Coordinates of all heavy atoms in Angstrom, one line a residue:
M1 N -1.4 14.4 11.6 CA -1.9 13.4 10.7 C -2.1 12.1 11.4 O -1.2 11.5 12.0 CB -0.8 13.2 9.6 CG -1.3 12.9 8.3 SD -0.1 12.4 7.1 CE 0.7 14.0 6.8
F2 N -3.3 11.6 11.4 CA -3.7 10.5 12.1 C -3.1 9.2 11.6 O -2.7 8.3 12.3 CB -5.3 10.3 12.1 CG -5.8 9.2 12.9 CD1 -5.7 9.1 14.3 CD2 -6.3 8.1 12.2 CE1 -6.2 8.1 15.0 CE2 -6.8 7.0 12.9 CZ -6.7 7.0 14.3
L3 N -2.9 9.1 10.3 CA -2.4 7.9 9.7 C -0.9 7.7 10.1 O -0.5 6.6 10.3 CB -2.4 8.0 8.1 CG -2.0 6.8 7.4 CD1 -2.8 5.6 7.8 CD2 -2.1 7.0 5.9
D4 N -0.2 8.8 10.2 CA 1.2 8.7 10.7 C 1.3 8.1 12.1 O 2.2 7.3 12.3 CB 1.9 10.1 10.7 CG 2.3 10.6 9.4 OD1 2.4 9.7 8.4 OD2 2.5 11.8 9.2
K5 N 0.4 8.4 12.9 CA 0.4 7.9 14.3 C 0.1 6.4 14.2 O 0.7 5.6 15.0 CB -0.7 8.6 15.1 CG -0.3 10.0 15.5 CD -1.3 10.7 16.3 CE -1.0 12.1 16.5 NZ -2.0 12.9 17.3
V6 N -0.9 6.0 13.4 CA -1.2 4.6 13.3 C -0.1 3.8 12.7 O 0.3 2.7 13.2 CB -2.5 4.4 12.4 CG1 -2.7 2.9 12.1 CG2 -3.7 5.0 13.0
L7 N 0.6 4.3 11.7 CA 1.7 3.6 11.1 C 2.9 3.6 12.0 O 3.7 2.7 11.9 CB 2.1 4.3 9.7 CG 1.1 4.0 8.6 CD1 1.5 4.9 7.4 CD2 1.1 2.6 8.2
S8 N 3.1 4.6 12.9 CA 4.2 4.5 13.8 C 4.0 3.4 14.8 O 5.0 3.0 15.4 CB 4.3 5.9 14.5 OG 3.2 6.0 15.4
L9 N 2.8 2.9 15.0 CA 2.6 1.8 15.9 C 3.0 0.4 15.3 O 3.2 -0.6 16.0 CB 1.1 1.7 16.3 CG 0.5 2.9 17.0 CD1 -1.0 2.7 17.2 CD2 1.2 3.0 18.4
I10 N 3.2 0.4 14.0 CA 3.6 -0.8 13.3 C 5.0 -0.7 12.8 O 5.3 0.1 11.9 CB 2.6 -1.1 12.1 CG1 1.2 -1.1 12.5 CG2 3.0 -2.4 11.4 CD1 0.2 -1.0 11.4
P11 N 5.9 -1.4 13.3 CA 7.3 -1.3 12.9 C 7.5 -1.8 11.4 O 6.9 -2.7 11.0 CB 8.1 -2.3 13.8 CG 7.1 -2.8 14.8 CD 5.8 -2.4 14.4
S12 N 8.2 -1.0 10.7 CA 8.4 -1.4 9.2 C 9.1 -2.7 9.1 O 8.9 -3.4 8.1 CB 9.2 -0.3 8.5 OG 10.5 -0.1 9.1
D13 N 9.9 -3.1 10.1 CA 10.6 -4.4 10.0 C 9.6 -5.5 10.0 O 9.7 -6.5 9.4 CB 11.6 -4.6 11.2 CG 12.7 -3.6 11.1 OD1 13.0 -3.1 10.0 OD2 13.4 -3.4 12.1
M14 N 8.5 -5.3 10.8 CA 7.4 -6.3 10.9 C 6.8 -6.5 9.5 O 6.5 -7.6 9.1 CB 6.4 -5.9 11.9 CG 5.3 -6.9 12.1 SD 4.2 -6.2 13.3 CE 3.1 -7.6 13.5
L15 N 6.5 -5.4 8.8 CA 5.9 -5.5 7.4 C 6.9 -6.2 6.5 O 6.4 -7.0 5.7 CB 5.6 -4.1 6.9 CG 4.5 -3.3 7.6 CD1 4.4 -1.9 7.1 CD2 3.2 -4.1 7.6
V16 N 8.1 -6.0 6.6 CA 9.1 -6.6 5.7 C 9.2 -8.1 6.1 O 9.2 -9.0 5.2 CB 10.5 -6.0 5.9 CG1 11.6 -6.8 5.2 CG2 10.5 -4.6 5.4
E17 N 9.1 -8.5 7.3 CA 9.1 -9.9 7.8 C 7.9 -10.6 7.3 O 8.0 -11.7 6.8 CB 9.2 -10.0 9.3 CG 10.6 -9.8 9.9 CD 10.5 -9.9 11.4 OE1 9.6 -10.6 11.9 OE2 11.4 -9.3 12.0
L18 N 6.7 -10.0 7.4 CA 5.5 -10.6 6.9 C 5.5 -10.8 5.4 O 5.0 -11.8 4.9 CB 4.3 -9.7 7.3 CG 3.8 -9.8 8.7 CD1 2.8 -8.8 9.0 CD2 3.3 -11.2 9.1
A19 N 6.0 -9.8 4.7 CA 6.1 -10.0 3.2 C 7.0 -11.1 2.9 O 6.8 -11.9 1.9 CB 6.6 -8.7 2.6
A20 N 8.1 -11.3 3.6 CA 9.1 -12.3 3.3 C 8.5 -13.7 3.7 O 8.6 -14.7 3.0 CB 10.4 -12.1 4.0
E21 N 7.8 -13.7 4.8 CA 7.3 -15.0 5.3 C 6.2 -15.5 4.4 O 6.1 -16.7 4.1 CB 6.7 -14.8 6.7 CG 6.1 -16.0 7.4 CD 5.5 -15.6 8.8 OE1 6.3 -15.0 9.5 OE2 4.4 -16.0 9.0
T22 N 5.3 -14.6 3.9 CA 4.2 -15.0 3.0 C 4.6 -15.1 1.6 O 3.8 -15.5 0.7 CB 3.0 -14.1 3.2 OG1 3.5 -12.8 2.9 CG2 2.5 -14.2 4.6
E23 N 5.8 -14.7 1.3 CA 6.4 -14.7 -0.1 C 5.5 -13.9 -1.1 O 5.4 -14.2 -2.2 CB 6.6 -16.1 -0.6 CG 7.5 -16.9 0.2 CD 7.7 -18.3 -0.2 OE1 6.9 -18.8 -1.1 OE2 8.7 -18.9 0.2
V24 N 5.0 -12.8 -0.6 CA 4.1 -11.9 -1.5 C 4.9 -11.1 -2.5 O 4.4 -10.9 -3.6 CB 3.3 -10.9 -0.6 CG1 2.1 -10.4 -1.3 CG2 2.9 -11.5 0.7
D25 N 6.1 -10.7 -2.2 CA 6.9 -9.9 -3.0 C 7.8 -10.6 -4.0 O 8.6 -10.0 -4.6 CB 7.7 -8.9 -2.2 CG 6.9 -7.9 -1.5 OD1 5.7 -7.6 -1.9 OD2 7.3 -7.3 -0.4
I26 N 7.6 -11.9 -4.1 CA 8.5 -12.7 -5.0 C 8.5 -12.2 -6.4 O 9.5 -12.0 -7.1 CB 8.2 -14.2 -4.9 CG1 8.7 -14.7 -3.6 CG2 8.9 -14.9 -6.1 CD1 8.5 -16.2 -3.4
F27 N 7.3 -12.0 -7.0 CA 7.2 -11.6 -8.4 C 6.9 -10.1 -8.6 O 6.6 -9.7 -9.7 CB 6.1 -12.4 -9.1 CG 6.5 -13.9 -9.0 CD1 5.7 -14.8 -8.3 CD2 7.5 -14.4 -9.7 CE1 6.0 -16.1 -8.2 CE2 7.8 -15.8 -9.7 CZ 7.1 -16.6 -9.0
S28 N 7.0 -9.3 -7.5 CA 6.7 -7.9 -7.6 C 7.9 -7.1 -7.4 O 8.6 -7.2 -6.4 CB 5.6 -7.5 -6.6 OG 5.4 -6.2 -6.6
K29 N 8.2 -6.2 -8.3 CA 9.3 -5.3 -8.1 C 8.9 -3.8 -7.8 O 9.6 -3.1 -7.1 CB 10.1 -5.3 -9.4 CG 10.8 -6.6 -9.7 CD 11.6 -6.6 -10.9 CE 12.2 -8.0 -11.2 NZ 12.9 -8.1 -12.4
K30 N 7.7 -3.4 -8.4 CA 7.3 -2.1 -8.2 C 6.3 -1.8 -7.0 O 6.4 -0.9 -6.3 CB 6.6 -1.6 -9.5 CG 7.6 -1.6 -10.7 CD 6.9 -1.1 -11.9 CE 7.8 -1.2 -13.1 NZ 7.1 -0.8 -14.4
L31 N 5.4 -2.7 -6.9 CA 4.4 -2.5 -5.9 C 4.6 -3.6 -4.7 O 4.0 -4.6 -4.7 CB 3.0 -2.7 -6.5 CG 1.8 -1.9 -6.0 CD1 2.2 -0.5 -6.0 CD2 0.6 -2.2 -6.9
Q32 N 5.4 -3.2 -3.8 CA 5.7 -4.1 -2.7 C 4.5 -4.2 -1.7 O 3.7 -3.3 -1.6 CB 6.9 -3.6 -1.9 CG 8.2 -3.5 -2.8 CD 8.7 -4.8 -3.3 OE1 8.7 -5.7 -2.5 NE2 9.0 -5.0 -4.5
A33 N 4.5 -5.2 -0.9 CA 3.5 -5.4 0.1 C 3.4 -4.3 1.1 O 2.3 -3.9 1.5 CB 3.7 -6.8 0.8
E34 N 4.5 -3.7 1.5 CA 4.5 -2.6 2.4 C 3.7 -1.4 1.9 O 2.9 -0.8 2.6 CB 5.9 -2.2 2.8 CG 6.0 -1.1 3.8 CD 7.4 -0.8 4.2 OE1 8.4 -1.5 3.8 OE2 7.6 0.3 4.8
V35 N 3.9 -1.1 0.6 CA 3.2 0.0 0.0 C 1.7 -0.3 -0.1 O 0.9 0.5 0.2 CB 3.7 0.2 -1.5 CG1 3.0 1.3 -2.2 CG2 5.2 0.5 -1.4
I36 N 1.3 -1.5 -0.5 CA -0.1 -1.9 -0.5 C -0.7 -1.8 0.8 O -1.9 -1.3 1.0 CB -0.2 -3.3 -1.1 CG1 0.1 -3.4 -2.6 CG2 -1.6 -3.9 -0.9 CD1 -0.8 -2.6 -3.5
F37 N 0.0 -2.3 1.9 CA -0.6 -2.2 3.2 C -0.8 -0.7 3.6 O -1.9 -0.4 4.1 CB 0.3 -2.9 4.2 CG -0.2 -2.7 5.6 CD1 -1.2 -3.5 6.1 CD2 0.4 -1.8 6.5 CE1 -1.7 -3.4 7.4 CE2 -0.1 -1.7 7.8 CZ -1.1 -2.5 8.3
K38 N 0.2 0.1 3.4 CA 0.0 1.6 3.7 C -1.1 2.2 2.9 O -1.9 3.0 3.4 CB 1.3 2.3 3.4 CG 2.4 2.0 4.4 CD 3.7 2.7 4.1 CE 4.8 2.4 5.1 NZ 6.0 3.1 4.7
L39 N -1.2 1.9 1.6 CA -2.2 2.4 0.8 C -3.6 2.0 1.2 O -4.5 2.8 1.3 CB -2.0 2.0 -0.7 CG -3.0 2.5 -1.7 CD1 -3.0 4.1 -1.8 CD2 -2.7 2.0 -3.1
L40 N -3.8 0.7 1.6 CA -5.0 0.2 2.0 C -5.4 0.9 3.4 O -6.6 1.3 3.5 CB -4.9 -1.3 2.2 CG -6.2 -2.1 2.6 CD1 -7.3 -1.9 1.5 CD2 -5.9 -3.5 2.7
L41 N -4.5 1.0 4.3 CA -4.8 1.7 5.5 C -5.1 3.1 5.3 O -6.1 3.6 6.0 CB -3.5 1.5 6.5 CG -3.7 1.9 7.9 CD1 -4.8 1.0 8.6 CD2 -2.4 1.7 8.7
H42 N -4.4 3.8 4.5 CA -4.7 5.2 4.2 C -6.1 5.4 3.6 O -6.8 6.3 4.0 CB -3.6 5.7 3.2 CG -3.9 7.0 2.5 ND1 -4.0 8.2 3.3 CD2 -4.3 7.4 1.3 CE1 -4.3 9.2 2.4 NE2 -4.5 8.7 1.2
C43 N -6.5 4.5 2.7 CA -7.8 4.6 2.1 C -8.9 4.3 3.1 O -10.0 4.9 3.1 CB -7.9 3.7 0.9 SG -7.0 4.4 -0.5
L44 N -8.7 3.3 4.0 CA -9.7 3.0 5.0 C -9.9 4.1 6.0 O -11.0 4.4 6.4 CB -9.2 1.7 5.7 CG -9.4 0.4 5.0 CD1 -8.7 -0.7 5.8 CD2 -10.8 0.1 4.7
I45 N -8.8 4.8 6.3 CA -8.9 5.9 7.3 C -9.5 7.2 6.6 O -10.3 7.9 7.2 CB -7.6 6.2 7.9 CG1 -7.2 5.0 8.8 CG2 -7.6 7.5 8.7 CD1 -5.8 5.1 9.4
S46 N -9.1 7.5 5.4 CA -9.4 8.8 4.9 C -10.5 8.9 3.8 O -10.9 10.0 3.4 CB -8.1 9.4 4.3 OG -7.6 8.6 3.3
H47 N -11.0 7.7 3.3 CA -12.0 7.8 2.3 C -13.3 7.0 2.8 O -13.2 5.9 3.4 CB -11.5 7.1 1.0 CG -10.4 7.9 0.4 ND1 -9.1 7.8 0.7 CD2 -10.5 8.8 -0.6 CE1 -8.4 8.6 0.0 NE2 -9.2 9.2 -0.8
K48 N -14.4 7.6 2.5 CA -15.7 7.0 2.9 C -16.0 5.7 2.1 O -16.3 4.7 2.6 CB -16.8 8.0 2.8 CG -18.1 7.4 3.2 CD -19.2 8.5 3.1 CE -20.6 7.9 3.4 NZ -21.7 8.8 3.2
D49 N -15.9 5.9 0.8 CA -16.1 4.8 -0.2 C -14.8 4.4 -0.8 O -14.2 5.2 -1.4 CB -17.1 5.2 -1.3 CG -18.5 5.6 -0.7 OD1 -18.9 4.9 0.2 OD2 -19.1 6.6 -1.2
N50 N -14.5 3.1 -0.6 CA -13.2 2.6 -1.2 C -13.4 1.8 -2.4 O -14.4 1.0 -2.4 CB -12.4 1.9 -0.1 CG -11.8 2.8 0.9 OD1 -11.1 3.7 0.5 ND2 -12.1 2.6 2.2
S51 N -12.6 1.9 -3.4 CA -12.6 1.1 -4.5 C -11.2 1.0 -5.1 O -10.3 1.8 -4.6 CB -13.5 1.6 -5.6 OG -13.0 2.8 -6.1
L52 N -10.9 0.2 -6.0 CA -9.6 0.2 -6.6 C -9.2 1.5 -7.3 O -8.1 1.9 -7.2 CB -9.5 -1.0 -7.7 CG -9.6 -2.4 -7.1 CD1 -9.7 -3.4 -8.2 CD2 -8.5 -2.7 -6.1
R53 N -10.2 2.1 -7.9 CA -10.0 3.4 -8.5 C -9.7 4.5 -7.5 O -8.9 5.4 -7.7 CB -11.1 3.8 -9.4 CG -11.3 2.8 -10.5 CD -11.6 3.5 -11.8 NE -11.9 2.5 -12.8 CZ -11.3 2.4 -13.9 NH1 -10.3 3.1 -14.2 NH2 -11.7 1.4 -14.8
T54 N -10.3 4.4 -6.4 CA -10.1 5.4 -5.3 C -8.6 5.2 -4.8 O -7.9 6.1 -4.5 CB -11.0 5.2 -4.1 OG1 -12.4 5.3 -4.6 CG2 -10.8 6.1 -3.0
M55 N -8.2 3.9 -4.6 CA -6.9 3.6 -4.2 C -5.9 4.1 -5.2 O -4.8 4.6 -4.9 CB -6.7 2.1 -3.9 CG -7.5 1.6 -2.8 SD -7.4 -0.2 -2.5 CE -5.8 -0.3 -1.8
E56 N -6.2 4.0 -6.5 CA -5.3 4.4 -7.6 C -5.1 5.9 -7.5 O -3.9 6.4 -7.5 CB -5.9 4.1 -8.9 CG -5.1 4.6 -10.1 CD -5.8 4.3 -11.4 OE1 -7.0 4.2 -11.5 OE2 -5.1 4.3 -12.4
S57 N -6.2 6.7 -7.3 CA -6.0 8.2 -7.2 C -5.4 8.6 -5.9 O -4.7 9.6 -5.8 CB -7.4 8.8 -7.4 OG -8.3 8.5 -6.5
A58 N -5.7 7.9 -4.8 CA -5.1 8.2 -3.5 C -3.6 8.0 -3.5 O -2.8 8.7 -2.9 CB -5.7 7.3 -2.4
Y59 N -3.1 7.0 -4.3 CA -1.7 6.7 -4.4 C -0.9 8.0 -5.0 O 0.2 8.2 -4.6 CB -1.4 5.5 -5.3 CG 0.1 5.1 -5.4 CD1 0.6 4.3 -4.4 CD2 0.9 5.6 -6.4 CE1 2.0 3.9 -4.5 CE2 2.2 5.3 -6.5 CZ 2.7 4.4 -5.6 OH 4.1 4.1 -5.6
E60 N -1.6 8.7 -5.8 CA -0.9 9.8 -6.5 C -1.0 11.1 -5.8 O -0.4 12.1 -6.2 CB -1.5 9.9 -7.9 CG -1.3 8.7 -8.8 CD -2.1 8.7 -10.1 OE1 -2.8 9.6 -10.3 OE2 -1.9 7.7 -10.8
T61 N -1.6 11.1 -4.6 CA -1.8 12.4 -3.8 C -0.4 12.7 -3.1 O 0.4 11.8 -2.8 CB -2.9 12.3 -2.8 OG1 -2.6 11.3 -1.9 CG2 -4.2 12.1 -3.5
L62 N -0.3 13.9 -2.8 CA 0.9 14.4 -2.1 C 0.9 13.8 -0.6 O 2.0 13.5 -0.1 CB 1.0 15.9 -2.0 CG 1.3 16.6 -3.3 CD1 1.2 18.1 -3.1 CD2 2.7 16.2 -3.8
L63 N -0.2 13.6 -0.1 CA -0.3 13.1 1.3 C 0.2 11.7 1.3 O 1.0 11.4 2.2 CB -1.8 13.1 1.8 CG -2.1 12.5 3.1 CD1 -1.3 13.3 4.2 CD2 -3.6 12.5 3.4
F64 N -0.2 10.8 0.4 CA 0.3 9.5 0.4 C 1.8 9.4 0.0 O 2.6 8.6 0.5 CB -0.5 8.6 -0.5 CG -0.1 7.1 -0.4 CD1 -0.4 6.4 0.8 CD2 0.7 6.5 -1.4 CE1 0.0 5.1 0.9 CE2 1.1 5.2 -1.2 CZ 0.7 4.5 -0.1
A65 N 2.2 10.4 -0.9 CA 3.6 10.4 -1.2 C 4.5 10.7 0.0 O 5.6 10.2 0.1 CB 3.8 11.5 -2.3
S66 N 4.0 11.5 0.9 CA 4.8 11.8 2.1 C 4.9 10.6 3.0 O 5.9 10.5 3.7 CB 4.2 13.0 2.8 OG 2.9 12.7 3.4
I67 N 3.8 9.8 3.0 CA 3.8 8.6 3.8 C 4.7 7.5 3.2 O 5.4 6.8 3.9 CB 2.4 8.1 4.0 CG1 1.5 9.0 4.7 CG2 2.4 6.7 4.6 CD1 0.1 8.8 4.6
N68 N 4.7 7.5 1.9 CA 5.4 6.4 1.1 C 6.7 6.9 0.5 O 6.9 6.8 -0.7 CB 4.4 6.0 0.0 CG 4.9 4.8 -0.7 OD1 5.5 3.9 -0.1 ND2 4.6 4.7 -2.0
Q69 N 7.6 7.5 1.3 CA 8.8 8.1 0.8 C 9.8 7.0 0.3 O 10.6 7.3 -0.5 CB 9.4 8.9 1.9 CG 8.6 10.2 2.2 CD 9.2 11.0 3.4 OE1 10.2 10.6 3.9 NE2 8.5 12.0 3.7
N70 N 9.8 5.8 0.9 CA 10.8 4.8 0.5 C 10.5 4.2 -0.9 O 11.5 3.8 -1.6 CB 10.8 3.7 1.5 CG 11.2 4.1 2.9 OD1 11.9 5.2 3.0 ND2 11.0 3.4 3.9
F71 N 9.3 4.2 -1.3 CA 8.9 3.6 -2.6 C 8.3 4.6 -3.5 O 7.1 4.7 -3.7 CB 8.0 2.4 -2.4 CG 8.5 1.4 -1.5 CD1 8.2 1.3 -0.2 CD2 9.3 0.4 -2.0 CE1 8.7 0.3 0.7 CE2 9.8 -0.6 -1.2 CZ 9.5 -0.6 0.2
Q72 N 9.1 5.5 -4.1 CA 8.5 6.6 -4.9 C 8.3 6.1 -6.4 O 9.2 5.6 -7.0 CB 9.5 7.7 -5.0 CG 9.6 8.5 -3.7 CD 8.3 9.3 -3.4 OE1 7.6 9.7 -4.4 NE2 8.0 9.5 -2.2
K73 N 7.1 6.1 -6.8 CA 6.7 5.8 -8.1 C 5.5 6.7 -8.4 O 4.6 6.9 -7.6 CB 6.2 4.3 -8.3 CG 6.0 4.0 -9.7 CD 5.8 2.5 -9.9 CE 5.6 2.0 -11.3 NZ 4.5 2.6 -12.0
K74 N 5.5 7.4 -9.5 CA 4.5 8.5 -9.8 C 3.1 8.0 -9.9 O 2.2 8.6 -9.4 CB 4.9 9.3 -11.0 CG 6.2 10.0 -10.7 CD 6.6 10.9 -11.9 CE 7.9 11.6 -11.6 NZ 8.4 12.4 -12.6
S75 N 2.9 6.9 -10.6 CA 1.5 6.4 -10.8 C 1.5 4.9 -10.9 O 2.5 4.2 -11.2 CB 0.9 7.0 -12.1 OG 1.7 6.5 -13.2
I76 N 0.3 4.4 -10.5 CA 0.1 2.9 -10.7 C -1.3 2.8 -11.3 O -2.1 3.7 -11.3 CB 0.2 2.2 -9.3 CG1 -0.8 2.9 -8.3 CG2 1.6 2.2 -8.8 CD1 -0.9 2.1 -7.0
R77 N -1.6 1.6 -11.7 CA -2.9 1.3 -12.3 C -3.8 0.5 -11.3 O -3.2 -0.2 -10.5 CB -2.8 0.5 -13.6 CG -1.9 1.2 -14.7 CD -2.7 2.3 -15.3 NE -3.9 1.7 -15.8 CZ -4.8 2.4 -16.5 NH1 -4.6 3.6 -16.8 NH2 -5.9 1.8 -16.9
Y78 N -5.1 0.7 -11.4 CA -5.9 0.0 -10.5 C -5.9 -1.5 -10.6 O -6.0 -2.2 -9.6 CB -7.4 0.5 -10.6 CG -8.1 0.1 -11.8 CD1 -8.9 -1.1 -11.8 CD2 -8.0 0.8 -13.0 CE1 -9.5 -1.5 -13.0 CE2 -8.6 0.3 -14.2 CZ -9.4 -0.8 -14.1 OH -10.0 -1.3 -15.3
N79 N -5.6 -2.0 -11.8 CA -5.5 -3.4 -12.0 C -4.3 -4.0 -11.4 O -4.2 -5.2 -11.0 CB -5.6 -3.8 -13.5 CG -4.6 -3.1 -14.4 OD1 -4.0 -2.2 -13.9 ND2 -4.5 -3.6 -15.6
S80 N -3.2 -3.2 -11.2 CA -2.0 -3.6 -10.5 C -2.3 -3.8 -9.0 O -1.9 -4.7 -8.4 CB -0.9 -2.6 -10.7 OG -0.5 -2.5 -12.0
I81 N -3.1 -2.8 -8.5 CA -3.5 -2.9 -7.1 C -4.4 -4.2 -6.9 O -4.2 -4.9 -5.9 CB -4.3 -1.7 -6.7 CG1 -3.4 -0.4 -6.8 CG2 -4.8 -1.8 -5.3 CD1 -4.2 0.9 -6.6
S82 N -5.3 -4.4 -7.8 CA -6.1 -5.6 -7.7 C -5.3 -6.9 -7.7 O -5.6 -7.8 -6.9 CB -7.1 -5.6 -8.9 OG -7.8 -6.8 -8.9
K83 N -4.3 -7.0 -8.6 CA -3.5 -8.2 -8.7 C -2.7 -8.3 -7.4 O -2.6 -9.5 -6.8 CB -2.5 -8.0 -9.9 CG -1.5 -9.1 -9.9 CD -2.1 -10.4 -10.4 CE -1.0 -11.4 -10.6 NZ -1.2 -12.6 -9.8
R84 N -2.2 -7.3 -6.8 CA -1.4 -7.4 -5.6 C -2.3 -7.8 -4.4 O -1.9 -8.6 -3.6 CB -0.7 -6.0 -5.3 CG 0.4 -5.7 -6.3 CD 1.5 -6.7 -6.4 NE 2.2 -6.7 -5.2 CZ 2.7 -7.8 -4.6 NH1 2.5 -9.0 -5.2 NH2 3.3 -7.8 -3.5
L85 N -3.5 -7.2 -4.3 CA -4.4 -7.6 -3.2 C -4.8 -9.0 -3.4 O -5.0 -9.7 -2.3 CB -5.6 -6.7 -3.2 CG -5.4 -5.2 -2.8 CD1 -6.6 -4.4 -3.0 CD2 -4.9 -5.2 -1.3
S86 N -5.0 -9.5 -4.6 CA -5.4 -10.9 -4.7 C -4.2 -11.9 -4.4 O -4.5 -13.0 -4.0 CB -5.9 -11.2 -6.1 OG -4.9 -11.1 -7.1
D87 N -3.0 -11.4 -4.5 CA -1.8 -12.3 -4.2 C -1.6 -12.4 -2.7 O -1.0 -13.3 -2.3 CB -0.6 -11.7 -4.8 CG -0.5 -11.9 -6.3 OD1 -1.3 -12.7 -6.8 OD2 0.3 -11.2 -6.9
I88 N -2.1 -11.5 -1.9 CA -1.9 -11.5 -0.5 C -2.9 -12.4 0.2 O -4.1 -12.2 0.1 CB -2.0 -10.1 0.1 CG1 -0.9 -9.2 -0.5 CG2 -1.9 -10.1 1.6 CD1 -1.0 -7.7 -0.1
N89 N -2.4 -13.4 0.9 CA -3.3 -14.3 1.6 C -3.7 -13.7 2.9 O -2.9 -13.4 3.8 CB -2.6 -15.6 1.9 CG -3.4 -16.6 2.6 OD1 -4.6 -16.4 2.9 ND2 -2.8 -17.8 2.8
P90 N -5.0 -13.4 3.2 CA -5.4 -12.7 4.4 C -5.2 -13.5 5.7 O -5.1 -12.9 6.7 CB -6.9 -12.5 4.2 CG -7.3 -13.4 3.1 CD -6.1 -13.7 2.3
A91 N -5.0 -14.8 5.6 CA -4.8 -15.6 6.8 C -3.3 -15.4 7.2 O -3.0 -15.4 8.4 CB -4.9 -17.1 6.4

């Protein structure tokens, strides 16, 4: 799995530090920044056309569930993904 190799290059502690530093997870309990980052990376690598609905359906696949073992939630809505992405400052 190519995505596992890419994610192994990024320490999970670094993702936690970035989320704490940017205060992205203050008001979020279910959809943490680490999950959004992994989902975004997964969709960029494995899907030709990306959209919020594509990300929503990709979240529910077994492949992403195996990547996202720490944050198990069966389903999410595309508008939740949109809200989380808009909360993250790209700078």
Side-chain angles (χ1 to χ4, degrees):
M1 216 187 286
F2 182 69
L3 184 59
D4 283 340
K5 291 179 183 177
V6 172
L7 287 174
S8 69
L9 298 174
I10 305 167
S12 60
D13 294 343
M14 182 181 185
L15 294 176
V16 172
E17 282 180 26
L18 283 173
E21 181 181 312
T22 57
E23 300 179 346
V24 197
D25 290 337
I26 285 181
F27 299 111
S28 176
K29 294 179 184 174
K30 296 179 183 176
L31 212 55
Q32 300 292 316
E34 182 177 350
V35 177
I36 290 294
F37 177 76
K38 288 179 181 179
L39 181 62
L40 187 59
L41 192 59
H42 168 67
C43 288
L44 287 173
I45 290 174
S46 60
H47 293 85
K48 181 180 177 185
D49 298 321
N50 286 306
S51 68
L52 294 173
R53 298 224 187 237
T54 304
M55 292 176 77
E56 177 186 22
S57 62
Y59 183 88
E60 298 170 358
T61 63
L62 290 174
L63 177 62
F64 187 73
S66 67
I67 295 166
N68 189 36
Q69 293 175 359
N70 295 342
F71 301 97
Q72 289 289 332
K73 188 172 185 300
K74 294 183 181 180
S75 65
I76 55 172
R77 301 286 306 186
Y78 73 93
N79 55 349
S80 300
I81 297 170
S82 173
K83 173 71 174 126
R84 295 300 297 140
L85 287 173
S86 67
D87 288 344
I88 298 173
N89 182 0

